[in-house]
Amino acid sequence: MESPCILVCSIDMVTGYCFGCGRTREEIGGWTLYTSEERRTIMAELPARLATVERKPRRETRRSRMARERDEA
């Protein structure tokens, strides 16, 4: 299944979009329930959404935590 997820799972509190993929919480939670066409429609909107979010998450993301833990090991 195609997904825009890049493991930067943190929501911008201003826009409601994920910093990594641009989806809303509702879209992330229901992603597997959408048809392929619905997913493609949402994915077409993501670049414009990502342009509206702050570029830095307010908390440590999963990806940055995993990189930090790998570097510390």
Side-chain angles (χ1 to χ4, degrees):
M1 174 183 308
E2 193 172 15
S3 173
C5 183
I6 61 168
L7 299 178
V8 177
C9 303
S10 184
I11 303 295
D12 176 28
M13 299 309 286
V14 175
T15 64
Y17 300 138
C18 173
F19 288 104
C21 68
R23 295 178 292 172
T24 64
R25 290 179 193 270
E26 292 78 18
E27 290 167 344
I28 293 167
W31 195 250
T32 59
L33 305 175
Y34 294 131
T35 65
S36 294
E37 185 167 326
E38 288 171 320
R39 287 192 296 270
R40 281 192 295 273
T41 299
I42 293 168
M43 288 177 70
E45 299 172 5
L46 299 181
R49 291 181 185 184
L50 286 169
T52 68
V53 299
E54 294 179 13
R55 298 318 302 165
K56 183 175 178 172
R58 295 190 179 142
R59 63 182 174 87
E60 184 176 39
T61 64
R62 181 177 178 209
R63 177 175 278 176
S64 64
R65 186 188 80 242
M66 289 170 64
R68 179 180 49 79
E69 290 172 353
R70 183 178 53 247
D71 292 342
E72 290 173 354

Coordinates of all heavy atoms in Angstrom, one line a residue:
M1 N 0.8 -1.2 0.0 CA 0.0 0.0 0.0 C 0.9 1.2 0.0 O 1.8 1.3 0.8 CB -0.9 0.0 1.2 CG -1.7 1.3 1.4 SD -2.7 1.3 2.9 CE -3.6 -0.2 2.8
E2 N 0.6 2.2 -0.9 CA 1.4 3.4 -1.0 C 1.1 4.3 0.2 O -0.1 4.4 0.7 CB 1.0 4.1 -2.2 CG 1.9 5.2 -2.6 CD 1.6 5.8 -4.0 OE1 0.5 5.5 -4.5 OE2 2.5 6.5 -4.5
S3 N 2.1 4.9 0.8 CA 2.0 5.7 2.0 C 3.0 6.8 1.9 O 4.2 6.6 1.5 CB 2.2 5.0 3.3 OG 2.2 5.8 4.4
P4 N 2.7 8.1 2.3 CA 3.6 9.2 2.3 C 4.5 9.2 3.6 O 5.3 10.1 3.8 CB 2.8 10.4 2.2 CG 1.5 10.0 2.9 CD 1.3 8.5 2.6
C5 N 4.3 8.3 4.5 CA 4.9 8.3 5.8 C 6.4 8.3 5.7 O 7.0 7.4 4.9 CB 4.4 7.2 6.7 SG 5.1 7.2 8.3
I6 N 7.1 9.2 6.4 CA 8.6 9.1 6.4 C 9.1 9.0 7.9 O 10.2 9.3 8.1 CB 9.2 10.4 5.7 CG1 8.8 11.6 6.4 CG2 8.8 10.4 4.2 CD1 9.6 12.9 6.0
L7 N 8.3 8.5 8.8 CA 8.6 8.3 10.2 C 8.9 9.6 10.9 O 9.7 9.5 11.9 CB 9.7 7.3 10.3 CG 9.4 5.9 9.7 CD1 10.6 5.0 9.9 CD2 8.2 5.3 10.4
V8 N 8.4 10.7 10.5 CA 8.5 11.9 11.3 C 7.0 12.2 11.7 O 6.3 13.0 11.2 CB 9.0 13.1 10.4 CG1 9.0 14.4 11.2 CG2 10.4 12.8 9.8
C9 N 6.7 11.5 12.8 CA 5.3 11.5 13.2 C 5.1 12.5 14.3 O 5.2 12.2 15.5 CB 4.9 10.1 13.7 SG 5.1 8.9 12.4
S10 N 4.9 13.7 13.9 CA 4.7 14.8 14.9 C 3.7 15.8 14.2 O 4.0 16.2 13.1 CB 6.0 15.5 15.3 OG 5.8 16.4 16.3
I11 N 2.7 16.2 14.9 CA 1.7 17.1 14.3 C 2.0 18.6 14.7 O 2.2 18.9 15.8 CB 0.3 16.7 14.8 CG1 0.0 15.3 14.5 CG2 -0.8 17.7 14.3 CD1 -0.2 14.9 13.1
D12 N 1.9 19.4 13.6 CA 2.0 20.9 13.8 C 0.7 21.3 14.4 O -0.4 21.2 13.9 CB 2.3 21.5 12.4 CG 2.3 23.0 12.5 OD1 2.7 23.6 13.5 OD2 2.0 23.7 11.5
M13 N 0.8 21.9 15.6 CA -0.4 22.3 16.3 C -1.1 23.5 15.7 O -2.3 23.7 15.9 CB 0.0 22.7 17.8 CG 0.6 21.5 18.6 SD -0.4 20.0 18.5 CE -1.7 20.4 19.5
V14 N -0.4 24.2 14.8 CA -1.1 25.4 14.1 C -1.9 24.9 13.0 O -3.1 25.3 12.8 CB 0.0 26.4 13.7 CG1 -0.6 27.5 12.8 CG2 0.8 26.9 14.8
T15 N -1.4 24.0 12.1 CA -2.1 23.6 10.9 C -2.8 22.3 11.1 O -3.8 22.0 10.4 CB -1.1 23.4 9.7 OG1 -0.2 22.4 10.1 CG2 -0.4 24.7 9.4
G16 N -2.4 21.4 12.0 CA -3.0 20.1 12.2 C -2.4 19.1 11.3 O -2.9 17.9 11.2
Y17 N -1.3 19.4 10.5 CA -0.7 18.5 9.6 C 0.6 17.9 10.2 O 1.3 18.6 11.0 CB -0.3 19.2 8.3 CG -1.5 19.8 7.6 CD1 -1.3 21.1 7.0 CD2 -2.7 19.2 7.4 CE1 -2.4 21.6 6.3 CE2 -3.7 19.7 6.7 CZ -3.6 21.0 6.1 OH -4.6 21.5 5.4
C18 N 0.8 16.7 9.8 CA 2.1 16.0 10.3 C 3.3 16.7 9.6 O 3.2 17.0 8.4 CB 2.0 14.5 9.8 SG 3.6 13.7 10.1
F19 N 4.3 16.9 10.4 CA 5.5 17.6 9.9 C 6.2 16.7 8.8 O 6.8 17.3 7.9 CB 6.6 17.7 11.0 CG 6.2 18.8 12.0 CD1 5.8 18.5 13.3 CD2 6.4 20.1 11.7 CE1 5.5 19.4 14.2 CE2 6.1 21.1 12.6 CZ 5.6 20.8 13.9
G20 N 6.1 15.4 8.9 CA 6.7 14.6 7.9 C 6.0 14.3 6.7 O 6.5 14.4 5.6
C21 N 4.7 14.0 6.8 CA 3.9 13.6 5.6 C 2.9 14.6 5.1 O 2.4 14.6 4.0 CB 3.3 12.3 5.7 SG 2.0 12.2 7.0
G22 N 2.4 15.5 6.1 CA 1.4 16.5 5.7 C 0.0 16.0 5.9 O -1.0 16.8 5.7
R23 N -0.2 14.8 6.4 CA -1.6 14.3 6.6 C -2.1 14.8 8.0 O -1.3 15.1 8.9 CB -1.6 12.8 6.6 CG -1.3 12.2 5.2 CD -1.4 10.7 5.2 NE -0.2 10.2 6.1 CZ -0.1 8.9 6.4 NH1 -1.0 8.0 6.0 NH2 0.9 8.5 7.1
T24 N -3.4 14.7 8.2 CA -4.0 15.0 9.5 C -4.0 13.8 10.3 O -3.8 12.7 9.8 CB -5.5 15.5 9.3 OG1 -6.3 14.4 8.7 CG2 -5.6 16.7 8.4
R25 N -4.3 13.9 11.6 CA -4.4 12.7 12.5 C -5.5 11.8 11.9 O -5.3 10.6 12.0 CB -4.8 13.2 13.9 CG -3.7 13.9 14.6 CD -4.2 14.3 16.0 NE -3.4 15.2 16.7 CZ -2.3 14.9 17.4 NH1 -2.1 13.6 17.7 NH2 -1.6 15.8 18.0
E26 N -6.6 12.3 11.5 CA -7.7 11.5 11.0 C -7.3 10.7 9.8 O -7.6 9.5 9.6 CB -8.9 12.4 10.7 CG -9.5 12.9 12.0 CD -8.8 14.2 12.5 OE1 -8.0 14.8 11.8 OE2 -9.0 14.5 13.7
E27 N -6.5 11.4 8.9 CA -6.1 10.7 7.6 C -5.1 9.6 8.0 O -5.1 8.6 7.4 CB -5.5 11.7 6.7 CG -6.5 12.7 6.1 CD -5.9 13.9 5.4 OE1 -4.7 14.2 5.6 OE2 -6.7 14.5 4.6
I28 N -4.2 9.9 8.9 CA -3.2 8.9 9.3 C -3.9 7.7 9.9 O -3.6 6.5 9.5 CB -2.2 9.5 10.3 CG1 -1.3 10.6 9.6 CG2 -1.3 8.4 10.9 CD1 -0.5 11.4 10.6
G29 N -4.8 7.9 10.8 CA -5.5 6.8 11.4 C -6.4 6.0 10.5 O -6.5 4.8 10.7
G30 N -6.9 6.6 9.5 CA -7.8 5.9 8.6 C -7.2 5.5 7.3 O -7.9 5.0 6.4
W31 N -5.9 5.7 7.1 CA -5.2 5.5 5.9 C -5.5 4.1 5.2 O -5.7 4.0 4.0 CB -3.7 5.7 6.0 CG -3.0 5.9 4.8 CD1 -2.1 5.0 4.2 CD2 -3.0 7.0 3.9 NE1 -1.6 5.5 3.0 CE2 -2.2 6.7 2.8 CE3 -3.7 8.2 3.9 CZ2 -2.0 7.6 1.7 CZ3 -3.6 9.1 2.9 CH2 -2.7 8.8 1.8
T32 N -5.5 3.1 6.0 CA -5.7 1.7 5.4 C -7.2 1.5 5.0 O -7.4 0.6 4.3 CB -5.3 0.6 6.4 OG1 -6.1 0.8 7.6 CG2 -3.8 0.7 6.8
L33 N -8.1 2.4 5.4 CA -9.5 2.2 5.1 C -9.8 3.0 3.8 O -10.9 2.8 3.2 CB -10.4 2.7 6.2 CG -10.1 2.1 7.6 CD1 -10.9 2.7 8.7 CD2 -10.4 0.6 7.5
Y34 N -8.9 3.9 3.4 CA -9.2 4.7 2.1 C -9.0 3.8 0.9 O -8.2 2.9 0.9 CB -8.3 5.9 2.1 CG -8.5 6.9 3.1 CD1 -7.5 7.5 3.8 CD2 -9.8 7.4 3.4 CE1 -7.6 8.4 4.8 CE2 -10.0 8.4 4.3 CZ -8.9 8.9 5.0 OH -9.1 9.9 6.0
T35 N -9.7 4.2 -0.2 CA -9.5 3.5 -1.4 C -8.2 4.1 -2.0 O -7.7 5.1 -1.6 CB -10.6 3.8 -2.4 OG1 -10.6 5.2 -2.7 CG2 -12.0 3.4 -1.9
S36 N -7.6 3.4 -3.0 CA -6.4 3.9 -3.7 C -6.6 5.3 -4.2 O -5.7 6.1 -4.2 CB -6.0 2.9 -4.8 OG -5.6 1.7 -4.3
E37 N -7.8 5.5 -4.8 CA -8.1 6.8 -5.4 C -8.1 7.9 -4.3 O -7.6 9.0 -4.5 CB -9.4 6.8 -6.2 CG -9.6 8.1 -6.9 CD -10.7 8.1 -7.9 OE1 -10.9 7.0 -8.5 OE2 -11.4 9.1 -8.0
E38 N -8.7 7.6 -3.1 CA -8.8 8.5 -2.0 C -7.4 8.8 -1.5 O -7.0 10.0 -1.3 CB -9.6 8.0 -0.9 CG -11.1 8.0 -1.2 CD -11.9 7.3 -0.2 OE1 -11.5 6.2 0.3 OE2 -13.0 7.7 0.2
R39 N -6.5 7.8 -1.4 CA -5.1 8.0 -1.0 C -4.4 8.9 -2.0 O -3.7 9.8 -1.6 CB -4.4 6.7 -0.8 CG -4.9 6.0 0.5 CD -4.0 4.8 0.8 NE -4.0 3.8 -0.1 CZ -4.9 2.7 -0.1 NH1 -5.8 2.6 0.8 NH2 -4.8 1.8 -1.1
R40 N -4.6 8.6 -3.3 CA -3.9 9.4 -4.3 C -4.3 10.9 -4.2 O -3.5 11.8 -4.4 CB -4.1 8.8 -5.7 CG -3.2 7.7 -6.0 CD -3.3 7.3 -7.5 NE -4.6 6.8 -7.9 CZ -5.0 5.6 -7.8 NH1 -4.2 4.6 -7.3 NH2 -6.2 5.2 -8.2
T41 N -5.6 11.1 -4.0 CA -6.1 12.5 -3.9 C -5.5 13.2 -2.8 O -5.1 14.4 -2.9 CB -7.7 12.5 -3.8 OG1 -8.2 11.8 -4.9 CG2 -8.2 13.9 -3.6
I42 N -5.4 12.6 -1.6 CA -4.8 13.2 -0.4 C -3.3 13.4 -0.7 O -2.8 14.5 -0.4 CB -5.0 12.3 0.8 CG1 -6.5 12.3 1.2 CG2 -4.1 12.8 2.0 CD1 -6.8 11.2 2.2
M43 N -2.7 12.5 -1.3 CA -1.2 12.6 -1.5 C -0.9 13.7 -2.5 O 0.1 14.4 -2.4 CB -0.7 11.3 -2.1 CG -0.6 10.2 -0.9 SD 0.0 8.6 -1.5 CE 1.7 9.0 -1.8
A44 N -1.8 14.0 -3.4 CA -1.6 15.2 -4.3 C -1.7 16.5 -3.6 O -1.1 17.5 -4.0 CB -2.7 15.1 -5.4
E45 N -2.4 16.6 -2.5 CA -2.5 17.8 -1.7 C -1.3 18.0 -0.7 O -1.1 19.1 -0.2 CB -3.8 17.8 -0.9 CG -5.1 17.7 -1.7 CD -6.3 17.4 -0.9 OE1 -6.2 17.4 0.4 OE2 -7.4 17.3 -1.5
L46 N -0.6 17.0 -0.5 CA 0.5 17.0 0.6 C 1.6 18.0 0.4 O 1.9 18.7 1.3 CB 1.0 15.6 0.9 CG 0.0 14.6 1.3 CD1 0.7 13.2 1.6 CD2 -0.7 15.0 2.5
P47 N 2.1 18.2 -0.8 CA 3.1 19.2 -1.0 C 2.7 20.6 -0.6 O 3.4 21.4 0.1 CB 3.5 19.1 -2.5 CG 3.2 17.7 -2.9 CD 1.9 17.4 -2.1
A48 N 1.5 21.0 -1.0 CA 1.0 22.3 -0.6 C 0.8 22.4 0.9 O 1.0 23.5 1.5 CB -0.4 22.6 -1.3
R49 N 0.3 21.3 1.6 CA 0.1 21.3 3.0 C 1.5 21.5 3.7 O 1.6 22.3 4.7 CB -0.5 20.0 3.5 CG -1.9 19.9 3.1 CD -2.4 18.6 3.6 NE -3.8 18.2 3.2 CZ -4.4 17.2 3.6 NH1 -3.9 16.3 4.5 NH2 -5.6 16.9 3.2
L50 N 2.5 20.7 3.3 CA 3.8 20.8 3.9 C 4.4 22.2 3.8 O 5.2 22.5 4.7 CB 4.7 19.7 3.3 CG 4.4 18.3 3.7 CD1 5.2 17.3 2.9 CD2 4.7 18.1 5.2
A51 N 4.1 22.9 2.8 CA 4.6 24.3 2.7 C 4.0 25.2 3.8 O 4.6 26.2 4.0 CB 4.3 24.8 1.3
T52 N 3.0 24.8 4.4 CA 2.3 25.6 5.4 C 2.7 25.3 6.9 O 2.4 26.1 7.8 CB 0.8 25.6 5.3 OG1 0.4 24.3 5.7 CG2 0.3 25.9 4.0
V53 N 3.4 24.2 7.1 CA 3.8 23.8 8.4 C 5.1 24.4 8.8 O 6.0 24.7 8.0 CB 3.8 22.2 8.7 CG1 2.5 21.6 8.4 CG2 4.9 21.6 7.8
E54 N 5.4 24.5 10.1 CA 6.7 24.9 10.6 C 7.6 23.8 10.2 O 7.3 22.7 10.2 CB 6.7 25.0 12.1 CG 5.8 26.1 12.6 CD 5.8 26.2 14.2 OE1 6.7 25.5 14.8 OE2 5.0 26.9 14.7
R55 N 8.9 24.2 9.9 CA 9.8 23.2 9.4 C 10.5 22.4 10.6 O 11.1 21.4 10.3 CB 10.9 23.9 8.6 CG 10.4 24.5 7.4 CD 9.4 23.8 6.6 NE 9.8 22.5 6.1 CZ 8.9 21.6 5.7 NH1 7.7 21.8 5.6 NH2 9.4 20.4 5.3
K56 N 10.3 22.8 11.8 CA 10.9 22.1 12.9 C 9.9 21.6 13.9 O 9.1 22.4 14.4 CB 11.9 23.0 13.6 CG 12.7 22.3 14.7 CD 13.7 23.2 15.4 CE 14.3 22.4 16.5 NZ 15.4 23.0 17.1
P57 N 9.8 20.3 14.1 CA 8.9 19.8 15.1 C 9.1 20.4 16.5 O 10.3 20.7 16.8 CB 9.1 18.3 15.1 CG 9.8 18.0 13.8 CD 10.6 19.3 13.5
R58 N 8.1 20.5 17.3 CA 8.3 21.0 18.6 C 8.8 20.0 19.6 O 9.1 20.3 20.7 CB 6.9 21.5 19.1 CG 6.5 22.7 18.3 CD 5.3 23.3 18.9 NE 4.9 24.5 18.0 CZ 3.7 24.8 17.8 NH1 2.7 24.2 18.3 NH2 3.5 25.8 17.0
R59 N 8.8 18.7 19.2 CA 9.4 17.7 20.1 C 10.2 16.7 19.3 O 10.2 16.7 18.1 CB 8.3 16.9 20.8 CG 7.3 16.2 19.9 CD 6.2 15.5 20.7 NE 5.3 14.9 19.9 CZ 5.3 13.7 19.4 NH1 6.4 12.9 19.7 NH2 4.4 13.2 18.6
E60 N 11.0 15.9 19.9 CA 11.8 15.0 19.2 C 10.9 14.0 18.4 O 10.0 13.4 19.0 CB 12.7 14.2 20.2 CG 13.7 13.3 19.6 CD 14.6 12.6 20.6 OE1 14.1 12.3 21.7 OE2 15.8 12.5 20.3
T61 N 11.3 13.8 17.2 CA 10.5 12.8 16.4 C 11.1 11.4 16.5 O 12.2 11.3 17.0 CB 10.6 13.2 14.9 OG1 12.0 13.2 14.5 CG2 10.0 14.6 14.7
R62 N 10.3 10.5 16.1 CA 10.8 9.1 16.2 C 12.1 8.9 15.4 O 13.0 8.2 15.9 CB 9.7 8.2 15.6 CG 10.0 6.7 15.7 CD 8.9 5.9 15.2 NE 9.3 4.5 15.2 CZ 8.8 3.6 14.4 NH1 7.8 3.9 13.5 NH2 9.1 2.3 14.4
R63 N 12.1 9.5 14.2 CA 13.3 9.3 13.4 C 14.6 9.9 14.0 O 15.6 9.3 14.1 CB 13.1 10.0 12.0 CG 14.4 9.9 11.1 CD 14.1 10.4 9.8 NE 13.5 9.3 9.0 CZ 13.1 9.5 7.8 NH1 13.2 10.6 7.1 NH2 12.5 8.5 7.1
S64 N 14.4 11.1 14.6 CA 15.6 11.8 15.3 C 16.0 11.0 16.5 O 17.2 10.9 16.8 CB 15.3 13.2 15.6 OG 14.3 13.4 16.5
R65 N 15.0 10.5 17.3 CA 15.3 9.7 18.5 C 16.1 8.4 18.1 O 17.1 8.1 18.7 CB 14.0 9.3 19.2 CG 14.3 8.6 20.6 CD 13.1 8.1 21.2 NE 12.8 6.8 20.6 CZ 11.6 6.5 20.0 NH1 10.7 7.4 19.8 NH2 11.4 5.4 19.4
M66 N 15.6 7.7 17.0 CA 16.3 6.5 16.6 C 17.7 6.8 16.2 O 18.7 6.0 16.5 CB 15.5 5.8 15.5 CG 14.2 5.3 16.0 SD 13.1 4.7 14.6 CE 14.0 3.4 13.9
A67 N 17.9 7.9 15.4 CA 19.3 8.3 15.0 C 20.2 8.6 16.2 O 21.3 8.2 16.3 CB 19.2 9.5 14.1
R68 N 19.6 9.3 17.2 CA 20.4 9.7 18.4 C 20.8 8.4 19.1 O 21.9 8.3 19.6 CB 19.5 10.6 19.3 CG 20.2 11.0 20.6 CD 19.4 11.9 21.4 NE 18.1 11.5 21.6 CZ 17.7 10.6 22.5 NH1 18.6 9.9 23.2 NH2 16.4 10.3 22.7
E69 N 19.8 7.5 19.3 CA 20.1 6.3 20.1 C 21.1 5.4 19.3 O 22.0 4.8 19.9 CB 18.8 5.5 20.3 CG 17.9 6.2 21.3 CD 16.5 5.5 21.4 OE1 16.2 4.6 20.5 OE2 15.7 5.9 22.2
R70 N 21.1 5.4 18.0 CA 22.1 4.7 17.2 C 23.5 5.3 17.4 O 24.4 4.6 17.5 CB 21.6 4.7 15.7 CG 22.5 3.8 14.9 CD 22.1 3.8 13.4 NE 21.9 5.1 12.9 CZ 20.7 5.6 12.5 NH1 19.6 4.9 12.6 NH2 20.6 6.8 12.0
D71 N 23.5 6.6 17.4 CA 24.8 7.3 17.5 C 25.4 7.1 18.9 O 26.6 7.1 19.1 CB 24.7 8.8 17.2 CG 24.4 9.1 15.8 OD1 24.6 8.2 14.9 OD2 23.9 10.2 15.4
E72 N 24.5 7.0 19.9 CA 25.0 6.9 21.3 C 25.4 5.4 21.6 O 26.2 5.2 22.5 CB 23.8 7.2 22.3 CG 23.5 8.7 22.3 CD 22.3 9.0 23.1 OE1 21.6 8.1 23.6 OE2 22.0 10.2 23.3
A73 N 25.0 4.5 20.8 CA 25.3 3.1 21.1 C 26.8 2.7 20.7 O 27.5 3.4 20.1 CB 24.4 2.2 20.3

